[in-house]
Amino acid sequence: MRVLVTGAAGQLGRDLVDVLHGSVPRGGRPGPKASFGAASTGRASSCDVVGADHRSLDVSDRAQVAEAFEQLRPDVVVHCAAWTAVDACEADPGRAFAVNAMGTRHVVEAAGRHRAHVVYVSTDYVFDGTSERPYVEWDRPNPLSVYGRSKLGGELELGADATVVRTSWVCGYHGSNMVRTVLRLMAQPGPLRFVDDQRGSPAFTADLAVALAEVSRARLPGVFHLTNQGETTWFDFAAAVVEAAGGDAGRVEPITTAELDPPRPAPRPANSVLDNLAWRCLGAEQLPAWQDGLGRLVAALGEGGGTS
Ligand SMILES: NC(=O)c1ccc[n+]([C@@H]2O[C@H](COP(=O)([O-])OP(=O)(O)OC[C@H]3O[C@@H](n4cnc5c(N)ncnc54)[C@H](OP(=O)(O)O)[C@@H]3O)[C@@H](O)[C@H]2O)c1
């Protein structure tokens, strides 16, 4: 079995390639369930892993995607590649849709030609945040931002047998994310201000990648919400990061989204907590509590510093 991972240099892509190789990503739980066996060479008996980064495979280029599938002939493609700069997407919807929606169309078209199963990684930002409860997989999307609309566009490109994995507030050892931001701000004097009126569920790539590998191996069709368990606000999350790093959580102050200066170009959902209902219905192992994932990530970053 051969798995192609797009966007393999991103924070999720890098950890997913590690897990598919059978190794534990930085900040991962020791001895996680590695679905594809534990070969350190990347060639487990049942699985080859090919990680394609942006430079080697630009998903917005239809011919390049077709050529990559022709050469690699994957059985499964986990499509992590996306333009994830949420605020920048507002200023350049053409690029957002070219990468996130059309890029997915190209992946789906090429996968169809080779009968490869598609696993598409999507986002909580497909929802408008007006629900008073966590969102389940069958709730109607209504994105507020260009990024959310373009990612929903990608979902709409998929055939009935494909998998959609919606996740949220992604943080990992590699790349930029809120944990790295808070740790950087901690090193500077003054208060740290974070919004207290946006709720969500953090997803740590080391844990998410294990579940994604499982989904890919099983080729589960349909939509799944996959996050670490529990919910928080950005304010509470930032305070937890400071505390986990041994700092003074009292330095973190709550503000409202309206008080952000300058205001963010892209509107965010006030509530984007994702209930992992479909995953739970299957009896699959839930991802650990977000506090558990956060503790492991902060410890790993403390040891190694992370990579951008
Ligand atoms: N980050 C979050 O909080 C979050 C939340 C929900 C869902 N997601 C979804 O989770 C997935 C992984 O996100 P992530 O956090 O790992 O983001 P990331 O670190 O930004 O990784 C995305 C990768 O895609 C690459 N990419 C961008 N344009 C591309 C193109 N045209 N062709 C091929 N590759 C391209 C990027 O490369 P360059 O940087 O070199 O352009 C980057 O390495 C994405 O599908 C995202 O929409 C993320």
Side-chain angles (χ1 to χ4, degrees), residues 6-13 52-55 57-61 79-85 95 98-100 120-125 147 151 166-171 174-176 205 208:
T6 69
Q11 55 172 349
L12 177 58
D53 63 10
H54 191 170
R55 216 156 33 139
L57 176 59
D58 179 349
V59 297
S60 67
D61 183 331
H79 181 31
C80 297
W83 191 31
T84 59
R95 178 174 166 194
V99 177
N100 298 343
Y120 173 65
V121 183
S122 190
T123 171
D124 54 328
Y125 284 8
Y147 169 75
K151 290 293 294 183
R166 292 196 192 117
T167 189
S168 55
W169 295 28
V170 174
C171 299
H174 306 286
S176 348
T205 53
L208 177 60

Side-chain angles (χ1 to χ4, degrees), residues 3-308:
V3 182
L4 169 64
V5 178
T6 69
Q11 55 172 349
L12 177 58
R14 287 184 68 161
D15 279 0
L16 180 60
V17 169
D18 277 353
V19 168
L20 292 170
H21 277 168
S23 43
V24 180
R26 303 292 293 263
R29 284 193 294 179
K33 229 180 346 171
S35 308
F36 291 89
S40 57
T41 58
R43 279 189 164 268
S45 57
S46 58
C47 172
D48 280 341
V49 185
V50 181
D53 63 10
H54 191 170
R55 216 156 33 139
S56 59
L57 176 59
D58 179 349
V59 297
S60 67
D61 183 331
R62 179 170 176 252
Q64 218 184 93
V65 175
E67 175 63 24
F69 274 76
E70 192 58 45
Q71 278 182 15
L72 300 169
R73 297 187 175 264
D75 301 296
V76 175
V77 53
V78 188
H79 181 31
C80 297
W83 191 31
T84 59
V86 175
D87 289 313
C89 284
E90 290 297 306
D92 194 350
R95 178 174 166 194
F97 277 88
V99 177
N100 298 343
M102 280 303 281
T104 305
R105 180 178 295 187
H106 301 146
V107 168
V108 169
E109 181 191 14
R113 204 173 293 131
H114 297 280
R115 298 182 182 282
H117 182 78
V118 180
V119 179
Y120 173 65
V121 183
S122 190
T123 171
D124 54 328
Y125 284 8
V126 299
F127 293 117
D128 62 16
T130 56
S131 171
E132 289 181 359
R133 54 162 177 77
Y135 284 93
V136 299
E137 288 82 350
W138 296 271
D139 282 323
R140 190 185 294 277
N142 183 32
L144 302 173
S145 61
V146 168
Y147 169 75
R149 292 209 310 278
S150 67
K151 290 293 294 183
L152 179 61
E155 287 191 15
L156 296 173
E157 294 297 332
L158 300 165
D161 290 343
T163 313
V164 177
V165 172
R166 292 196 192 117
T167 189
S168 55
W169 295 28
V170 174
C171 299
Y173 185 82
H174 306 286
S176 348
N177 54 59
M178 189 59 95
V179 174
R180 304 268 307 264
T181 301
V182 173
L183 293 176
R184 193 181 64 245
L185 292 174
M186 257 181 83
Q188 297 162 18
L192 286 69
R193 296 194 174 91
F194 286 90
V195 299
D196 201 23
D197 55 2
Q198 291 174 28
R199 304 191 69 72
S201 300
F204 293 92
T205 53
D207 296 329
L208 177 60
V210 173
L212 254 183
E214 191 71 26
V215 164
S216 311
R217 182 190 57 76
R219 303 185 194 206
L220 296 172
V223 181
F224 292 90
H225 290 173
L226 286 175
T227 62
N228 285 78
Q229 297 306 288
E231 57 181 83
T232 184
T233 67
W234 285 121
F235 161 69
D236 282 328
F237 186 65
V241 174
V242 172
E243 204 168 287
D248 172 14
R251 283 183 61 200
V252 185
E253 295 177 0
I255 56 169
T256 64
T257 300
E259 289 173 310
L260 276 172
D261 185 20
R264 295 285 192 80
R268 267 79 170 168
N271 165 31
S272 67
V273 177
L274 299 177
D275 186 348
N276 295 193
L277 179 58
W279 193 239
R280 207 162 55 242
C281 287
L282 286 181
E285 189 182 345
Q286 299 288 301
L287 275 65
W290 68 260
Q291 294 89 341
D292 183 277
L294 175 63
R296 280 181 275 118
L297 177 57
V298 169
L301 288 168
E303 284 161 18
T307 62
S308 299

